[in-house]
Amino acid sequence: MRQLILYLFIITSAISQAQVNYGTPSPETPLPEVINKLERKLLVEHFPKVNHPVQIESNYYWKHATVIYSKEGPVTIVEFGAYLYYNDQWNLRQQYPIKDFDKFFGTKNEQLLQGQPYVWTENWRVGDSLFGGWALWYFIGLTPEGDRICGYQTIHTTSNLLTSKN
């Protein structure tokens, strides 16, 4: 019996250590290193900012759109991706291949024109598990003068499932 209790204690301890603390980022949470020292000159927004899932068959969809906008002048995007917030820090979720930028945002040669909003209308989170969290989308661009600039914005996904009201 003593060995069984010890075994259960070890398994319970291991499981509790492996759990992820999703939490909520604060204004003092350090930005990811890749954008930390860059000037924030690109506007990035998500709609809706707080995103509730819908269920379609066995998957959950957090449907939202992402817009990027340059008010300064033309900018060529050279990197973009998303971080997830857990364990009290931003953790890289995915850095996308730059060739996907035109397809997602409808640009040509990864270039943002001044004053033109570009929208990825189906920037959806999809999964078979229902849980909320925070993401930070980032974009790094080059100005015609060769300056590296960035834009970023957070989005909050919840576990509050939207249900149909028939």
Side-chain angles (χ1 to χ4, degrees):
M1 181 66 161
R2 181 180 256 177
Q3 284 182 325
L4 178 61
I5 292 172
L6 179 61
Y7 178 74
L8 289 174
F9 174 76
I10 291 170
I11 294 296
T12 304
S13 295
I15 290 171
S16 68
Q17 296 292 326
Q19 290 182 342
V20 174
N21 171 18
Y22 287 100
T24 300
S26 75
E28 291 78 37
T29 300
L31 290 171
E33 193 173 311
V34 70
I35 59 173
N36 191 31
K37 296 196 182 342
L38 296 179
E39 201 168 353
R40 188 179 185 184
K41 291 212 163 200
L42 300 173
L43 301 174
V44 178
E45 291 295 336
H46 302 285
F47 179 82
K49 181 108 172 119
V50 177
N51 193 244
H52 306 290
V54 295
Q55 186 173 10
I56 301 172
E57 297 176 0
S58 62
N59 282 317
Y60 299 100
Y61 293 79
W62 289 261
K63 296 183 177 187
H64 63 284
T66 300
V67 64
I68 185 169
Y69 181 88
S70 173
K71 63 180 181 178
E72 301 288 324
V75 172
T76 302
I77 299 300
V78 295
E79 182 178 329
F80 74 110
Y83 283 79
L84 297 179
Y85 185 79
Y86 58 89
N87 295 340
D88 299 322
Q89 66 181 6
W90 291 111
N91 299 275
L92 184 63
R93 177 186 172 268
Q94 183 166 357
Q95 180 181 339
Y96 287 88
I98 197 61
K99 66 180 176 56
D100 288 344
F101 189 80
D102 289 342
K103 177 174 60 175
F104 295 159
F105 286 92
T107 55
K108 291 184 180 159
N109 301 317
E110 300 83 36
Q111 186 160 83
L112 306 177
L113 300 177
Q114 182 178 22
Q116 172 68 43
Y118 296 92
V119 183
W120 182 3
T121 58
E122 294 183 5
N123 183 9
W124 301 348
R125 179 180 145 202
V126 179
D128 59 4
S129 298
L130 183 61
F131 65 93
W134 287 85
L136 181 143
W137 279 86
Y138 76 97
F139 301 84
I140 297 174
L142 285 177
T143 67
E145 297 78 33
D147 296 327
R148 286 176 70 85
I149 62 172
C150 75
Y152 56 89
Q153 190 58 264
T154 59
I155 184 168
H156 180 203
T157 58
T158 77
S159 58
N160 302 330
L161 186 62
L162 296 177
T163 56
S164 176
K165 303 208 190 251
N166 295 330

Coordinates of all heavy atoms in Angstrom, one line a residue, residues 71-151:
K71 N 1.0 53.8 -42.1 CA 0.7 55.2 -42.4 C 1.9 56.1 -42.7 O 1.8 57.2 -43.2 CB 0.0 55.9 -41.1 CG 0.8 55.9 -39.9 CD 0.0 56.6 -38.8 CE 0.9 56.7 -37.5 NZ 0.2 57.3 -36.4
E72 N 3.1 55.5 -42.6 CA 4.3 56.2 -42.8 C 4.8 56.2 -44.3 O 5.3 57.1 -44.7 CB 5.5 55.5 -42.0 CG 5.2 55.6 -40.5 CD 5.3 56.9 -39.9 OE1 6.2 57.7 -40.3 OE2 4.6 57.2 -39.0
G73 N 4.5 55.1 -45.0 CA 5.0 55.0 -46.4 C 5.0 53.6 -46.8 O 4.6 52.7 -46.0
P74 N 5.6 53.3 -47.9 CA 5.6 51.8 -48.3 C 6.6 51.1 -47.4 O 7.6 51.6 -46.9 CB 6.2 51.9 -49.7 CG 6.9 53.2 -49.9 CD 6.2 54.1 -48.9
V75 N 6.2 49.8 -47.1 CA 7.0 49.0 -46.2 C 6.9 47.6 -46.8 O 5.9 47.1 -47.2 CB 6.4 48.9 -44.8 CG1 7.1 47.9 -44.0 CG2 6.5 50.3 -44.2
T76 N 8.1 46.9 -46.9 CA 8.1 45.5 -47.3 C 8.2 44.6 -46.1 O 9.2 44.8 -45.3 CB 9.4 45.3 -48.2 OG1 9.3 46.2 -49.4 CG2 9.4 43.8 -48.7
I77 N 7.3 43.7 -45.9 CA 7.3 42.8 -44.8 C 8.3 41.7 -45.0 O 8.4 41.1 -46.1 CB 5.9 42.2 -44.6 CG1 4.8 43.3 -44.3 CG2 5.9 41.2 -43.5 CD1 5.1 44.1 -43.1
V78 N 9.2 41.5 -44.0 CA 10.2 40.5 -44.2 C 10.1 39.3 -43.2 O 10.7 38.3 -43.3 CB 11.6 41.2 -44.0 CG1 11.9 42.1 -45.1 CG2 11.8 41.8 -42.6
E79 N 9.2 39.5 -42.2 CA 8.9 38.4 -41.2 C 7.6 38.7 -40.5 O 7.2 39.8 -40.3 CB 10.0 38.4 -40.2 CG 9.9 37.3 -39.2 CD 11.1 37.3 -38.2 OE1 12.2 37.7 -38.5 OE2 10.8 36.9 -37.0
F80 N 6.9 37.6 -40.3 CA 5.6 37.7 -39.5 C 5.3 36.4 -38.8 O 5.7 35.3 -39.3 CB 4.5 38.2 -40.3 CG 3.9 37.3 -41.3 CD1 2.6 36.8 -41.1 CD2 4.5 36.9 -42.4 CE1 2.0 35.9 -42.0 CE2 3.9 36.0 -43.4 CZ 2.7 35.5 -43.1
G81 N 4.6 36.5 -37.7 CA 4.2 35.3 -37.0 C 3.4 35.6 -35.8 O 2.9 36.7 -35.6
A82 N 3.3 34.6 -34.9 CA 2.5 34.8 -33.7 C 3.2 34.1 -32.5 O 3.9 33.1 -32.6 CB 1.2 34.1 -33.9
Y83 N 3.1 34.7 -31.4 CA 3.5 34.2 -30.1 C 2.3 33.9 -29.2 O 1.2 34.5 -29.4 CB 4.3 35.2 -29.3 CG 5.8 35.4 -29.8 CD1 6.0 36.1 -31.0 CD2 6.8 34.8 -29.2 CE1 7.3 36.2 -31.5 CE2 8.1 34.9 -29.7 CZ 8.3 35.6 -30.8 OH 9.6 35.7 -31.3
L84 N 2.4 32.9 -28.4 CA 1.4 32.6 -27.4 C 1.9 32.9 -26.0 O 3.1 32.7 -25.7 CB 1.0 31.1 -27.4 CG 0.4 30.6 -28.7 CD1 0.1 29.1 -28.6 CD2 -0.9 31.4 -29.1
Y85 N 1.0 33.4 -25.1 CA 1.5 33.7 -23.8 C 1.2 32.5 -22.9 O 0.0 32.1 -22.7 CB 0.7 35.0 -23.3 CG 1.2 35.4 -21.9 CD1 2.3 36.1 -21.8 CD2 0.5 35.1 -20.8 CE1 2.8 36.5 -20.6 CE2 0.9 35.5 -19.5 CZ 2.1 36.2 -19.4 OH 2.6 36.6 -18.2
Y86 N 2.2 32.0 -22.3 CA 2.1 31.0 -21.2 C 3.3 31.0 -20.4 O 4.4 31.4 -20.9 CB 1.7 29.6 -21.7 CG 2.6 29.0 -22.7 CD1 3.7 28.2 -22.3 CD2 2.4 29.2 -24.1 CE1 4.5 27.6 -23.3 CE2 3.2 28.6 -25.0 CZ 4.3 27.8 -24.6 OH 5.2 27.3 -25.5
N87 N 3.2 30.4 -19.2 CA 4.3 30.4 -18.2 C 5.0 31.8 -18.1 O 6.2 31.9 -18.0 CB 5.4 29.3 -18.6 CG 4.8 27.9 -18.6 OD1 3.8 27.7 -17.9 ND2 5.4 27.0 -19.3
D88 N 4.2 32.8 -18.0 CA 4.6 34.2 -17.7 C 5.5 34.8 -18.8 O 6.3 35.7 -18.5 CB 5.3 34.3 -16.4 CG 4.3 33.9 -15.2 OD1 3.1 34.2 -15.3 OD2 4.8 33.2 -14.3
Q89 N 5.4 34.3 -20.0 CA 6.2 34.9 -21.1 C 5.6 34.6 -22.5 O 4.7 33.7 -22.6 CB 7.6 34.4 -21.1 CG 7.7 32.9 -21.4 CD 9.2 32.4 -21.3 OE1 10.1 33.1 -20.9 NE2 9.4 31.2 -21.7
W90 N 6.0 35.4 -23.5 CA 5.6 35.1 -24.9 C 6.5 34.0 -25.4 O 7.7 34.1 -25.3 CB 5.7 36.4 -25.7 CG 4.7 37.4 -25.3 CD1 5.0 38.6 -24.7 CD2 3.3 37.4 -25.5 NE1 3.9 39.3 -24.5 CE2 2.8 38.6 -25.0 CE3 2.5 36.5 -26.1 CZ2 1.4 38.9 -25.0 CZ3 1.1 36.8 -26.1 CH2 0.6 38.0 -25.6
N91 N 5.8 33.0 -26.0 CA 6.5 31.8 -26.6 C 6.1 31.7 -28.1 O 5.0 31.8 -28.4 CB 6.1 30.6 -25.8 CG 6.4 30.6 -24.4 OD1 7.5 30.3 -24.0 ND2 5.5 31.1 -23.5
L92 N 7.1 31.6 -28.9 CA 6.9 31.5 -30.4 C 6.0 30.4 -30.7 O 6.2 29.2 -30.3 CB 8.2 31.4 -31.1 CG 8.1 31.4 -32.7 CD1 7.5 32.8 -33.1 CD2 9.4 31.2 -33.3
R93 N 4.9 30.7 -31.3 CA 3.9 29.7 -31.8 C 4.3 29.3 -33.2 O 4.5 28.1 -33.6 CB 2.5 30.1 -31.8 CG 1.5 29.1 -32.4 CD 0.1 29.6 -32.5 NE -0.7 28.7 -33.2 CZ -0.9 28.7 -34.5 NH1 -0.3 29.6 -35.3 NH2 -1.6 27.8 -35.1
Q94 N 4.4 30.3 -34.1 CA 4.8 30.1 -35.5 C 5.3 31.3 -36.2 O 4.8 32.4 -36.0 CB 3.5 29.6 -36.2 CG 3.8 29.2 -37.7 CD 2.7 28.4 -38.3 OE1 1.7 28.1 -37.7 NE2 2.9 28.1 -39.6
Q95 N 6.4 31.1 -36.9 CA 6.9 32.1 -37.8 C 6.5 31.6 -39.2 O 6.9 30.5 -39.6 CB 8.4 32.3 -37.7 CG 8.9 33.4 -38.6 CD 10.4 33.5 -38.5 OE1 11.0 33.1 -37.5 NE2 11.0 34.0 -39.5
Y96 N 5.7 32.4 -39.9 CA 5.2 32.0 -41.2 C 6.2 32.2 -42.3 O 7.0 33.1 -42.3 CB 3.9 32.7 -41.5 CG 2.7 32.3 -40.7 CD1 2.5 32.9 -39.5 CD2 1.9 31.3 -41.1 CE1 1.4 32.5 -38.7 CE2 0.8 30.9 -40.4 CZ 0.6 31.5 -39.2 OH -0.5 31.1 -38.4
P97 N 6.2 31.3 -43.3 CA 7.0 31.6 -44.5 C 6.6 32.9 -45.2 O 5.4 33.2 -45.3 CB 6.7 30.4 -45.5 CG 6.1 29.4 -44.6 CD 5.4 30.1 -43.5
I98 N 7.5 33.8 -45.5 CA 7.2 35.1 -46.0 C 6.4 35.0 -47.3 O 5.6 35.9 -47.6 CB 8.5 35.9 -46.2 CG1 8.1 37.4 -46.4 CG2 9.3 35.4 -47.4 CD1 7.4 38.0 -45.2
K99 N 6.5 33.9 -48.1 CA 5.7 33.7 -49.3 C 4.2 33.7 -49.0 O 3.4 33.9 -49.9 CB 6.2 32.5 -50.1 CG 5.9 31.2 -49.4 CD 6.4 30.0 -50.2 CE 6.3 28.7 -49.5 NZ 5.0 28.3 -49.0
D100 N 3.8 33.3 -47.8 CA 2.4 33.2 -47.4 C 1.8 34.6 -47.2 O 0.6 34.8 -47.2 CB 2.2 32.4 -46.2 CG 2.4 30.9 -46.5 OD1 2.5 30.5 -47.7 OD2 2.6 30.2 -45.5
F101 N 2.6 35.7 -47.0 CA 2.1 37.0 -46.6 C 1.1 37.5 -47.8 O 0.0 38.0 -47.5 CB 3.2 38.0 -46.4 CG 2.7 39.3 -45.8 CD1 2.3 39.4 -44.5 CD2 2.5 40.4 -46.6 CE1 1.8 40.6 -43.9 CE2 2.0 41.6 -46.1 CZ 1.7 41.7 -44.8
D102 N 1.6 37.4 -49.0 CA 0.8 37.9 -50.1 C -0.6 37.2 -50.2 O -1.6 37.8 -50.4 CB 1.5 37.8 -51.4 CG 2.6 38.7 -51.6 OD1 2.7 39.7 -50.9 OD2 3.5 38.5 -52.5
K103 N -0.5 35.8 -50.0 CA -1.7 35.0 -50.0 C -2.7 35.4 -48.9 O -3.9 35.6 -49.1 CB -1.3 33.5 -49.9 CG -2.5 32.6 -49.9 CD -2.1 31.1 -50.0 CE -1.2 30.8 -48.8 NZ -0.8 29.4 -48.7
F104 N -2.2 35.6 -47.7 CA -3.0 35.9 -46.5 C -3.6 37.3 -46.6 O -4.8 37.5 -46.3 CB -2.3 35.7 -45.2 CG -1.8 34.3 -44.9 CD1 -0.8 34.1 -44.0 CD2 -2.5 33.2 -45.5 CE1 -0.4 32.8 -43.7 CE2 -2.1 31.9 -45.2 CZ -1.0 31.7 -44.3
F105 N -2.8 38.3 -47.0 CA -3.2 39.7 -46.9 C -3.5 40.4 -48.2 O -3.9 41.5 -48.2 CB -2.1 40.5 -46.1 CG -2.1 40.2 -44.7 CD1 -1.3 39.2 -44.2 CD2 -2.9 40.9 -43.8 CE1 -1.2 39.0 -42.8 CE2 -2.9 40.7 -42.5 CZ -2.1 39.7 -41.9
G106 N -3.3 39.7 -49.3 CA -3.7 40.3 -50.6 C -2.7 41.3 -51.1 O -3.1 42.2 -51.9
T107 N -1.5 41.3 -50.7 CA -0.4 42.2 -51.1 C 0.3 41.6 -52.3 O 0.1 40.5 -52.7 CB 0.6 42.5 -50.0 OG1 1.1 41.2 -49.6 CG2 0.0 43.2 -48.8
K108 N 1.2 42.5 -52.9 CA 2.1 42.0 -54.0 C 3.5 42.2 -53.5 O 3.9 43.3 -53.0 CB 1.8 42.8 -55.3 CG 0.5 42.5 -55.9 CD 0.2 43.2 -57.2 CE -1.1 42.8 -57.7 NZ -1.6 43.7 -58.7
N109 N 4.3 41.2 -53.6 CA 5.7 41.2 -53.2 C 5.9 41.7 -51.8 O 6.8 42.4 -51.4 CB 6.5 42.2 -54.1 CG 6.4 41.7 -55.6 OD1 6.6 40.5 -55.9 ND2 6.2 42.6 -56.5
E110 N 5.0 41.2 -50.9 CA 5.0 41.5 -49.5 C 5.1 43.0 -49.1 O 5.5 43.4 -48.1 CB 6.2 40.8 -48.8 CG 6.2 39.3 -48.9 CD 6.8 38.8 -50.2 OE1 7.8 39.4 -50.7 OE2 6.3 37.8 -50.7
Q111 N 4.5 43.8 -50.0 CA 4.7 45.3 -49.8 C 3.3 45.9 -49.4 O 2.3 45.7 -50.0 CB 5.1 46.0 -51.1 CG 5.4 47.5 -50.8 CD 6.3 48.1 -51.8 OE1 5.8 48.5 -52.9 NE2 7.6 48.2 -51.5
L112 N 3.4 46.7 -48.3 CA 2.3 47.5 -47.8 C 2.4 48.9 -48.5 O 3.5 49.5 -48.4 CB 2.3 47.7 -46.3 CG 2.4 46.4 -45.5 CD1 2.5 46.7 -44.0 CD2 1.2 45.5 -45.7
L113 N 1.4 49.4 -49.1 CA 1.4 50.8 -49.6 C 0.9 51.7 -48.5 O 0.1 51.3 -47.6 CB 0.5 50.9 -50.8 CG 0.9 50.0 -52.0 CD1 -0.1 50.1 -53.1 CD2 2.3 50.3 -52.5
Q114 N 1.3 52.9 -48.5 CA 1.0 53.9 -47.5 C -0.6 54.1 -47.5 O -1.2 54.3 -48.6 CB 1.7 55.2 -47.7 CG 1.4 56.3 -46.7 CD 2.1 57.6 -47.0 OE1 2.5 57.8 -48.1 NE2 2.3 58.4 -45.9
G115 N -1.2 54.1 -46.3 CA -2.6 54.4 -46.2 C -3.5 53.3 -46.7 O -4.7 53.5 -46.7
Q116 N -3.0 52.1 -47.0 CA -3.9 51.0 -47.5 C -4.0 49.9 -46.4 O -3.0 49.3 -46.1 CB -3.3 50.5 -48.8 CG -3.9 49.2 -49.3 CD -5.3 49.5 -49.8 OE1 -5.6 50.5 -50.5 NE2 -6.3 48.6 -49.5
P117 N -5.2 49.7 -45.9 CA -5.4 48.5 -45.0 C -5.4 47.2 -45.7 O -5.9 47.1 -46.8 CB -6.7 48.8 -44.3 CG -7.5 49.7 -45.3 CD -6.5 50.4 -46.1
Y118 N -4.7 46.2 -45.2 CA -4.6 44.9 -45.7 C -5.2 43.9 -44.7 O -4.8 44.0 -43.5 CB -3.2 44.5 -46.1 CG -2.6 45.4 -47.2 CD1 -1.9 46.5 -46.9 CD2 -2.9 45.0 -48.5 CE1 -1.4 47.3 -47.9 CE2 -2.4 45.8 -49.5 CZ -1.7 47.0 -49.2 OH -1.2 47.8 -50.2
V119 N -6.2 43.1 -45.0 CA -6.9 42.3 -44.1 C -6.8 40.8 -44.4 O -7.1 40.4 -45.5 CB -8.4 42.7 -44.1 CG1 -9.1 41.9 -43.0 CG2 -8.6 44.2 -43.8
W120 N -6.4 40.0 -43.4 CA -6.5 38.6 -43.5 C -7.8 38.2 -42.8 O -7.9 38.2 -41.6 CB -5.3 38.0 -42.8 CG -5.2 36.5 -42.8 CD1 -6.0 35.6 -43.5 CD2 -4.2 35.7 -42.2 NE1 -5.6 34.3 -43.3 CE2 -4.5 34.3 -42.5 CE3 -3.2 36.0 -41.4 CZ2 -3.8 33.3 -42.0 CZ3 -2.4 34.9 -40.9 CH2 -2.7 33.6 -41.2
T121 N -8.8 37.9 -43.7 CA -10.2 37.8 -43.1 C -10.4 36.4 -42.4 O -11.3 36.3 -41.7 CB -11.2 37.9 -44.3 OG1 -11.0 36.9 -45.3 CG2 -11.2 39.3 -44.8
E122 N -9.6 35.4 -42.7 CA -9.7 34.1 -42.1 C -8.5 33.7 -41.3 O -8.1 32.6 -41.4 CB -10.1 33.1 -43.2 CG -11.4 33.4 -43.8 CD -11.8 32.3 -44.8 OE1 -11.1 31.3 -45.0 OE2 -12.8 32.5 -45.5
N123 N -8.0 34.6 -40.5 CA -6.9 34.3 -39.5 C -7.5 33.6 -38.3 O -7.7 34.2 -37.3 CB -6.2 35.6 -39.2 CG -5.0 35.3 -38.3 OD1 -4.6 34.2 -38.1 ND2 -4.4 36.4 -37.8
W124 N -7.9 32.4 -38.5 CA -8.7 31.7 -37.4 C -7.8 30.7 -36.7 O -6.9 30.0 -37.2 CB -9.8 30.9 -38.0 CG -10.8 31.7 -38.8 CD1 -10.9 33.0 -38.8 CD2 -11.8 31.2 -39.7 NE1 -11.9 33.4 -39.7 CE2 -12.5 32.3 -40.2 CE3 -12.2 29.9 -40.0 CZ2 -13.6 32.1 -41.1 CZ3 -13.2 29.7 -40.9 CH2 -13.9 30.9 -41.4
R125 N -8.0 30.6 -35.4 CA -7.4 29.6 -34.6 C -8.4 28.4 -34.6 O -9.6 28.6 -34.5 CB -7.3 30.1 -33.1 CG -6.7 29.0 -32.2 CD -6.6 29.6 -30.8 NE -6.9 28.4 -29.9 CZ -7.2 28.6 -28.6 NH1 -7.4 29.8 -28.1 NH2 -7.4 27.5 -27.9
V126 N -7.9 27.2 -34.8 CA -8.7 26.0 -35.0 C -8.1 24.9 -34.1 O -6.9 24.8 -34.0 CB -8.8 25.5 -36.4 CG1 -9.6 24.2 -36.5 CG2 -9.3 26.6 -37.3
G127 N -8.9 24.2 -33.4 CA -8.4 23.1 -32.5 C -9.5 22.2 -32.0 O -10.7 22.6 -32.1
D128 N -9.1 21.0 -31.5 CA -10.1 20.1 -31.0 C -10.2 20.2 -29.5 O -11.0 19.5 -28.9 CB -9.8 18.7 -31.4 CG -8.4 18.2 -30.9 OD1 -7.7 19.0 -30.2 OD2 -8.0 17.1 -31.3
S129 N -9.5 21.2 -28.9 CA -9.6 21.4 -27.4 C -10.1 22.8 -27.2 O -9.7 23.8 -27.8 CB -8.3 21.3 -26.7 OG -7.8 20.0 -26.9
L130 N -11.0 22.9 -26.2 CA -11.6 24.2 -25.9 C -10.9 24.9 -24.7 O -11.0 24.5 -23.6 CB -13.1 24.0 -25.5 CG -13.9 25.3 -25.2 CD1 -14.0 26.2 -26.4 CD2 -15.3 24.9 -24.8
F131 N -10.0 25.9 -25.0 CA -9.3 26.6 -24.0 C -9.0 28.0 -24.5 O -8.9 28.2 -25.7 CB -8.1 25.9 -23.5 CG -7.0 25.7 -24.6 CD1 -6.0 26.7 -24.7 CD2 -7.0 24.7 -25.5 CE1 -5.0 26.6 -25.7 CE2 -6.1 24.5 -26.5 CZ -5.1 25.5 -26.6
G132 N -9.0 28.9 -23.6 CA -8.7 30.3 -24.0 C -7.2 30.6 -23.8 O -6.4 29.8 -23.4
G133 N -6.8 31.8 -24.2 CA -5.4 32.3 -24.0 C -5.2 33.6 -24.8 O -6.1 34.2 -25.2
W134 N -3.9 34.0 -24.8 CA -3.5 35.2 -25.5 C -2.5 34.9 -26.5 O -1.6 34.1 -26.4 CB -2.9 36.1 -24.4 CG -3.9 36.7 -23.5 CD1 -4.4 36.2 -22.4 CD2 -4.5 38.0 -23.6 NE1 -5.3 37.1 -21.8 CE2 -5.4 38.2 -22.5 CE3 -4.4 39.0 -24.6 CZ2 -6.1 39.3 -22.4 CZ3 -5.2 40.2 -24.4 CH2 -6.0 40.3 -23.3
A135 N -2.6 35.6 -27.6 CA -1.6 35.6 -28.7 C -1.2 37.0 -29.0 O -1.9 38.0 -28.8 CB -2.2 34.9 -30.0
L136 N 0.0 37.1 -29.5 CA 0.6 38.4 -30.0 C 1.1 38.1 -31.4 O 2.0 37.3 -31.7 CB 1.8 38.8 -29.1 CG 2.4 40.1 -29.5 CD1 2.8 40.9 -28.2 CD2 3.6 39.9 -30.4
W137 N 0.4 38.8 -32.4 CA 0.8 38.7 -33.8 C 1.8 39.8 -34.0 O 1.6 41.0 -33.6 CB -0.4 38.9 -34.7 CG -1.1 37.6 -34.8 CD1 -2.1 37.2 -34.0 CD2 -0.9 36.6 -35.8 NE1 -2.5 35.9 -34.4 CE2 -1.8 35.6 -35.5 CE3 -0.1 36.5 -36.9 CZ2 -1.9 34.4 -36.3 CZ3 -0.2 35.4 -37.7 CH2 -1.1 34.4 -37.4
Y138 N 2.9 39.5 -34.7 CA 3.9 40.5 -35.0 C 4.3 40.5 -36.5 O 4.1 39.5 -37.2 CB 5.2 40.3 -34.2 CG 6.0 39.1 -34.7 CD1 7.1 39.4 -35.5 CD2 5.7 37.8 -34.4 CE1 7.9 38.3 -36.0 CE2 6.5 36.8 -34.9 CZ 7.6 37.0 -35.7 OH 8.3 36.0 -36.2
F139 N 4.7 41.7 -36.9 CA 5.1 41.9 -38.3 C 6.4 42.8 -38.3 O 6.5 43.8 -37.6 CB 4.0 42.6 -39.1 CG 2.7 41.9 -39.1 CD1 1.9 42.0 -38.1 CD2 2.4 41.0 -40.2 CE1 0.7 41.3 -38.1 CE2 1.3 40.3 -40.2 CZ 0.4 40.4 -39.1
I140 N 7.4 42.4 -39.1 CA 8.6 43.1 -39.2 C 8.8 43.5 -40.7 O 8.6 42.7 -41.6 CB 9.9 42.3 -38.8 CG1 9.7 42.0 -37.3 CG2 11.2 43.1 -39.1 CD1 10.8 41.1 -36.8
G141 N 9.0 44.8 -40.9 CA 9.1 45.3 -42.3 C 10.4 46.2 -42.5 O 11.0 46.6 -41.5
L142 N 10.7 46.4 -43.7 CA 11.8 47.3 -44.1 C 11.2 48.5 -44.8 O 10.4 48.4 -45.8 CB 12.8 46.6 -45.1 CG 13.7 45.6 -44.5 CD1 14.5 44.9 -45.6 CD2 14.6 46.2 -43.4
T143 N 11.7 49.7 -44.5 CA 11.3 50.9 -45.2 C 12.2 51.1 -46.4 O 13.2 50.4 -46.5 CB 11.5 52.2 -44.2 OG1 12.9 52.3 -44.0 CG2 10.7 52.0 -42.9
P144 N 11.9 52.0 -47.3 CA 12.7 52.2 -48.5 C 14.1 52.6 -48.1 O 15.1 52.4 -48.8 CB 12.0 53.3 -49.3 CG 10.6 53.1 -48.9 CD 10.6 52.7 -47.5
E145 N 14.3 53.2 -46.9 CA 15.6 53.7 -46.4 C 16.4 52.5 -45.8 O 17.5 52.7 -45.3 CB 15.4 54.8 -45.4 CG 14.8 56.1 -45.9 CD 13.3 56.0 -46.1 OE1 12.6 55.3 -45.3 OE2 12.7 56.6 -47.0
G146 N 15.7 51.3 -45.6 CA 16.4 50.2 -45.0 C 16.2 50.1 -43.5 O 16.9 49.2 -42.9
D147 N 15.4 50.9 -42.9 CA 15.1 50.8 -41.5 C 14.2 49.6 -41.2 O 13.2 49.4 -41.9 CB 14.5 52.0 -41.0 CG 15.4 53.3 -41.1 OD1 16.6 53.1 -41.0 OD2 14.8 54.4 -41.3
R148 N 14.5 48.8 -40.2 CA 13.6 47.7 -39.7 C 12.6 48.3 -38.7 O 13.0 48.9 -37.7 CB 14.4 46.6 -39.1 CG 15.2 45.8 -40.1 CD 16.1 44.7 -39.4 NE 15.4 43.6 -38.8 CZ 14.9 42.6 -39.4 NH1 15.1 42.4 -40.7 NH2 14.3 41.6 -38.8
I149 N 11.4 48.1 -39.0 CA 10.3 48.5 -38.1 C 9.4 47.4 -37.8 O 9.5 46.3 -38.5 CB 9.5 49.7 -38.8 CG1 8.8 49.3 -40.1 CG2 10.4 50.9 -39.0 CD1 7.9 50.3 -40.6
C150 N 8.4 47.6 -36.9 CA 7.5 46.5 -36.6 C 6.1 47.0 -36.3 O 5.9 48.2 -36.2 CB 8.0 45.7 -35.4 SG 7.9 46.5 -33.8
G151 N 5.2 46.0 -36.2 CA 3.9 46.3 -35.7 C 3.5 45.0 -35.0 O 3.9 43.9 -35.4

